[in-house]
C-alpha cells in the first residue's frame, strides 16, 4: 500500500480540508496547492501553517514532502492526475442550501485547463449535488469523497482515518482511495465505495448524528442544572451502557464550528418532501441550549436583567475547541448576542483576534486585565489560564475535554 505510483495532485483551497489532504498526499506524490489569498500562499511557501493544527505545523517543516503552494491556476491544474476541490461551502439561509459557487468556479477553470483530469469534491455539498453538477458541466470527471475531520486535528484525522469513502465504483476511485490510505499511518482502514449521492448523504447524516449526540447531552445537562442535579454523575451512569458509551458526551454551549451547524441545516432542507421530526429538532435544540445558557449566565450575574446590565461578562475564547483557531459559527457567539441584546456589556479575550473590536465588543489582549475587568468569565472549555479565577467562571465543561 505504501509503494504507490506517484501522481500529480492539485488542491483547490488551503483550509483544514485542503491543507490536511495536501500534506497527507505530498508524502508520496507531487502536490500543488492553489489558493486565492496571497498571504496564505506566502505563509505556506515559508513552511508556516495559516491555520492552527499541530500535525499540519509539524509536517510543513518536513523536507520529505513534495508540496508547494501557488496563486497560479495553470501551474496547479495543468497535467494534474487528480484535482481535489476543498473550497468553502457556507450555508445560505436565503436559499436553504450550501453556497456551492466556489466549487463551480473551480470546475469551470479545470475544464478549460485540464478537461480530462479527475476532480474530487471534498467540500461538503447538498445531497444530489455531484450528479447535478456533472449534468450542468457535461462531464463525468467529477466524483465526491466526504471528509470526516475535527478542527485542530485535521491532518491527524487523515493520518488515522475512521474510514475512507469515495462516491464512485470505478478504477479511478480505487486509485484515489489507495492514495489516501497510502499516506495514512493507520493500517487496515475501512474503505467504502458508494454512488455519489449516497456518499453525500453519508456525510450529512454522520454529522447530524454527532450534532444529535451533542444536543442530547446538552439537554440532559440543562435538566440537571435546572433541578440542581449533578450532570457528571448522570452522564457517567448513562454512558456505562456500551450501546451509548462514554465518548462525545461532554456538555457545551451548543454545537458549532465549520460543519455541524451548516450540515444539520442542509440535511433539514433536504427533508423538505419527507416527513421528519428528529432532524428539525436537532437544529432547534441548539438554539434552545444557547437561550438556556444565556439565561443561566444572567441568573449568575444578578437576580434580574436590570441588575445584570451593570455587570461585565468576559468571553474567554471564541474558539470551539482547545488547540483550534477557528471560531466560525462557534456557539459562544450565539451566547454573546443574547447577552448583548439584554444590554449586558461583553468583553472578549481571544488571542487569535488582532482587531480591537469584535462585533462592537472590546477585545482585551492581556489575560490578567481581562480577568480583572470581568464580573463573570464565560468559557466553553476550561484552560489553565483561568483556573485562578475559578469562582467567577461559568462553564459546562464537566469532563474538561473536547469530546
Amino acid at each position: 500500500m505504501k509503494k504507490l505510483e506517484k501522481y500529480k495532485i492539485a488542491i483547490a483551497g488551503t483550509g483544514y480540508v485542503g491543507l490536511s489532504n495536501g500534506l497527507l498526499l505530498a508524502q508520496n506524490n507531487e502536490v500543488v496547492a492553489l489558493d486565492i489569498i496571497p498571504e496564505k500562499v506566502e505563509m505556506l511557501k515559508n513552511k508556516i501553517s495559516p491555520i492552527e493544527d499541530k500535525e499540519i505545523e509539524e509536517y510543513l517543516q518536513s523536507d520529505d514532502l513534495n508540496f508547494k503552494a501557488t496563486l497560479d491556476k495553470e501551474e496547479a491544474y495543468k497535467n494534474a492526475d487528480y484535482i481535489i476541490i476543498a473550497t468553502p461551502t457556507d450555508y445560505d439561509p436565503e436559499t436553504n442550501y450550501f453556497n456551492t459557487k466556489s466549487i463551480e468556479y473551480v470546475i469551470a477553470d479545470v475544464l478549460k485547463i485540464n478537461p480530462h483530469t479527475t476532480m474530487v469534491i471534498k467540500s461538503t455539498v447538498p445531497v444530489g449535488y455531484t450528479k447535478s453538477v456533472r449534468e450542468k458541466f457535461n462531464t463525468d470527471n467529477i466524483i465526491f469523497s466526504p471528509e470526516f475531520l475535527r478542527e485542530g486535528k485535521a491532518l491527524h484525522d487523515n493520518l488515522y482515518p475512521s474510514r475512507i469513502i469515495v462516491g464512485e465504483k470505478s478504477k479511478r476511485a480505487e486509485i484515489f482511495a489507495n492514495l489516501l490510505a497510502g499516506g495514512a499511518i493507520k493500517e487496515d482502514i475501512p474503505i467504502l465505495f458508494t454512488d455519489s449521492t449516497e456518499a453525500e448523504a453519508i456525510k450529512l447524516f454522520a454529522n447530524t448524528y454527532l450534532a444529535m449526540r451533542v444536543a442530547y447531552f446538552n439537554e440532559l445537562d440543562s435538566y440537571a442544572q435546572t433541578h440542581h442535579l449533578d450532570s457528571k454523575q448522570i452522564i457517567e451512569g448513562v454512558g456505562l451502557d456500551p450501546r451509548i458509551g462514554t465518548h462525545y458526551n461532554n456538555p457545551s454551549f451548543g454545537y458549532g464550528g465549520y460543519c455541524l451547524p451548516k450540515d444539520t441545516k442542509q440535511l433539514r432542507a433536504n427533508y423538505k418532501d419527507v416527513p421528519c421530526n428528529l432532524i428539525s429538532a436537532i437544529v432547534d435544540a441548539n438554539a434552545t441550549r444557547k437561550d438556556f445558557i444565556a439565561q443561566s449566565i444572567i441568573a449568575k450575574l444578578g437576580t434580574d436583567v436590570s441588575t445584570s446590565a451593570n455587570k461585565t461578562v468576559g468571553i474567554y475564547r471564541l474558539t470551539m475547541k482547545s488547540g483550534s483557531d477557528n471560531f466560525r459559527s462557534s456557539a459562544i457567539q450565539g451566547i454573546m448576542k443574547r447577552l448583548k441584546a439584554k444590554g449586558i456589556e461583553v468583553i472578549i479575550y481571544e488571542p487569535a483576534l488582532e482587531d480591537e473590536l469584535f462585533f462592537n465588543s472590546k477585545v482585551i489582549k492581556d489575560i490578567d486585565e481581562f480577568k480583572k475587568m470581568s464580573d463573570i468569565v464565560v468559557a466553553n472549555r476550561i484552560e489553565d489560564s483561568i483556573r485562578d479565577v475559578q469562582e467567577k467562571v461559568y462553564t459546562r465543561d464537566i469532563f474538561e475535554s473536547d469530546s
Side-chain angles (χ1 to χ4, degrees), residues 41-94:
V41 170
E42 193 60 31
M43 288 178 74
L44 290 170
K45 285 181 177 180
N46 291 314
K47 297 189 173 186
I48 300 169
S49 175
I51 55 180
E52 188 172 327
D53 185 295
K54 181 175 175 284
E55 281 78 14
I56 286 177
E57 292 163 5
E58 290 174 356
Y59 270 62
L60 276 172
Q61 299 303 313
S62 172
D63 293 327
D64 296 331
L65 297 182
N66 190 347
F67 176 87
K68 69 182 297 187
T70 184
L71 294 163
D72 187 340
K73 298 173 190 174
E74 287 271 351
E75 181 183 9
Y77 299 153
K78 192 173 182 181
N79 300 321
D81 300 293
Y82 288 91
I83 296 174
I84 295 176
I85 302 175
T87 55
T89 52
D90 294 328
Y91 183 78
D92 186 343
E94 296 294 322

Side-chain angles (χ1 to χ4, degrees), residues 302-317:
T303 55
D304 55 40
V305 173
S306 61
T307 305
S308 301
N310 297 320
K311 303 289 183 67
T312 299
V313 172
I315 302 295
Y316 177 78
R317 305 302 306 269

Side-chain angles (χ1 to χ4, degrees), residues 309-330:
N310 297 320
K311 303 289 183 67
T312 299
V313 172
I315 302 295
Y316 177 78
R317 305 302 306 269
L318 298 172
T319 53
M320 288 296 299
K321 299 178 179 181
S322 302
S324 170
D325 61 353
N326 169 51
F327 44 81
R328 185 168 69 177
S329 298
S330 61

Side-chain angles (χ1 to χ4, degrees), residues 19 45 47 49 84 149 153 182 184 186 196 212 229 284:
L19 198 49
K45 285 181 177 180
K47 297 189 173 186
S49 175
I84 295 176
L149 305 177
K153 292 184 177 293
K186 181 181 176 181
S196 64
M212 178 186 71
L229 304 175
D284 295 339

Side-chain angles (χ1 to χ4, degrees), residues 100-105 107-108 111 128-140 142:
T100 55
K101 289 179 182 177
S102 65
I103 295 176
E104 289 166 38
Y105 291 148
I107 293 171
L111 290 175
Y129 177 77
T130 305
K131 183 178 178 181
S132 69
V133 86
R134 280 179 166 188
E135 293 172 356
K136 178 177 179 178
F137 287 94
N138 193 28
T139 179
D140 290 327
I142 304 171

